[in-house]
Each structure stands twice: as C-alpha cells, then as structure tokens.
Amino acid sequence: MVGERVIERLPENWRWVVTTRAAVGLALLVALLSVATGVLNIEQEAADFGPIAPHVPLAVQEAVGFTGALTGFLMVGSALALRRGLRAGWWATFLLLPLTAVQGLLQASQYSLPLVVLSLISLPTLLLSRRRFDRQLSLSTTQLAAGGALVGVQAYGTFGAFALREQFDGIDHLLDAFYFTLITSSTVGYGDIGPETEQAQLFTMSVVVLGVASFGIAIGALVGPAIQARISKTLGMMTDSELELLDDHVLVLGYGDLTEPIVNELDTADIPFLVVTRDETAGSELRDRSVSVLNANPSDEEPLRRGKIATARAVLVATDDDAQDALAVLTARELRPDVRIVTAATDRENTRKLERAGADDVVSLSELGGHLLVQSALGADESPVVSSLLKDE
C-alpha cells in the first residue's frame, strides 16, 4: 500500500527523470574520477597493480596519466551537454566512457579501479537512456566559421612547422610541431623552440598573426555567446545568436489565457515558434519550459524585427485584449505585408476592426463556442474536427 501511494505521488514522467538524471550523474562522476586519477598518476613511479601492469610500458603509464586528466575535463563538458539533453553530448559521452575505462586499466594503479568499474557501469545506463537526449546542437554560421578557422590555423602551423623542421631548433616530430604551433598562436612562447632561418622566421610570424586572430575570434564566437546566454537568461532576454537560428517559424505576439493552448499545440507539433510578450512573469515561466521567449512589447517594430518576422511562416495573435491585438496585427502587417496573420476576437464586435488592422483570419471565440455547444447538444455535427475538440476537452 505504501509503495503504491508513493508511485501515485510521483510525476508521470518519473522514469524519464530518473534515467536522465542517472546518466548525467554517472557521467559527471566518471569525469571527476578521471581527472582525480589522472592527476594522481602523472608523477607515479612504475605501478605493479593488476595483472596487466608488468606488460604496460612506463611511458604509456605516464602518458595515460596526463591524458586521463584531459579526458576527464572533456567528460565534464559532455556531462553538461547531457544535462541540456543534447544528442551531441550523448555521443561524446558514449565515445569517452570506453576511453576512460581503457586509460584506467593502462594506468595500472589501485586508484584507477573505481574509474574502470564506474565507466563500465555507466555505459548500459547511457544506452538505455539514449532516446532521452534528442535535442540538436545549434551552431550559428559565425560559430562554425570560427571553429573551422581555429582548426585550420592549427593544422597550417603544425604541418608547416614539421615541413620546415630542419630550419627550427627543437622540432623533430609532429608532436613538436603541434606544440610549437599551440604555444606560438596562443602567445605563450616558452622560447624552447626557435626559427634559425629567415624563411622559418617569416613562417613563425604568419603563425603568430593567424593564430592570435583565430584564437580571439573563436573565444568571441564560441565562448562569448554562452556567457551572453547566461546573462540574458538572468535578465529574461534572448541572445542575438539564438534569434539568428529562427527560420520558417511561427511568431506568437502577446501572451494570455488564450495563448497558452496555442503554445502547447505548437510545442506538441514540434513547430518552431517564438513568443513575444512584455509580461516578464509569463516569460520566465515559459523559459523554464524551454519555450523561446522575447520579453518586449509585441506591438513595437524592433522586437518583431529581432524575432525575424521577415522569415516567419505565420503570425498568431490571441490575448485577452482586442485593442492590444489590433496594434500587434497592424505592426506585423506593416513590417511583412505577405505574411499570414491569424488572430482571435474576445468580443465579436471587434472582428471587423481586427480585419481592417490587417488580419487574414479572425476567429470569434464567442461565436465559435456557441456553435460548438449547440452542435454538441443536438448531436447534429459529426465533423471529426469538432469530435476531436470535444474529446480533448
């Protein structure tokens, strides 16, 4: 009896919550263990723990100690992506978990045993919760270009330095060339590798210029939006990078009791949409439900431009105030003469006014409600639309 009462009090999606949080929690725990064991094993002497310890070269043990910490930091990032429900985070975690297990084995240390066990346990949990992480990672064109430029410059510097290795003091392998490119483009410059010819000097200068520029652009394009998103979320605003991703969406102007069913319907149908409302409380509640919201006056031109009305497929206006709806319709029609605008009239006397403001279709709620009630009472309308509406109610 007690167990049944406990289950009844649980939310309907409790299985989703448990499996999702378990996957995220395990991934984060593996990340922390990987960092901790990596740091502990960086300076360890030859380990003799485990049956494979005698067969693991010391150089490999030292390498997996450093790379174990690096993998741990990558796992932290993938765990944060999992927490956001991103499919990319699931794939990253799925690929990194076997790597952490292998690194734990090769470290041949008693401190690495929990890491190996937990990594293997986390894999089935991650596989069972695969469908829970279905959100796509959205990157703007600027972010993709910045990431590509950063990778391209590092490749240019690495392969160029390796090709000119005879003209550098200290470059013998490809790893040396990558190390030289990284410390040069990041302006660290330890001075342990230096050019010995004019050609090598010119090449180094090009790596400095291109590397500094690519690092600056990448930080601004990749890290900047994350900081801006956090600040904007605190202030109740959408970032420009988030708004840039909107395309072929539905613009919902205003928010009220009549708008809530519209939001639910669009969300269920998986249709991209943006709500523009000046109600900060409603905006905060919608944002907590992962709904795209722009806190602004829906009858002003600037918010509609920021909401990309130019690429919207339709505009919906349905609040409890016909006067405010008319202003929003008028503004939307002036900015986009060819877009389809649909609105609802709480007072049927305002239907003509909303049509004159520029609405293509105006639904009179009182007339629609009266019609449905009469048809339902008489049983004369067997329309599947009406039947579906009555069934939902």
Side-chain angles (χ1 to χ4, degrees), residues 61 115 124 146 158 246 255 293 299 303 312 362 364 371 389:
Q61 292 182 14
L115 173 63
T158 300
L246 292 173
Y255 189 81
V293 182
S299 60
V362 180
S364 176
H371 174 73
L389 289 172

Side-chain angles (χ1 to χ4, degrees), residues 376 383-393:
S376 177
S383 163
V385 176
V386 176
S387 300
S388 177
L389 289 172
L390 294 176
K391 183 179 179 180
D392 291 341
E393 290 297 327

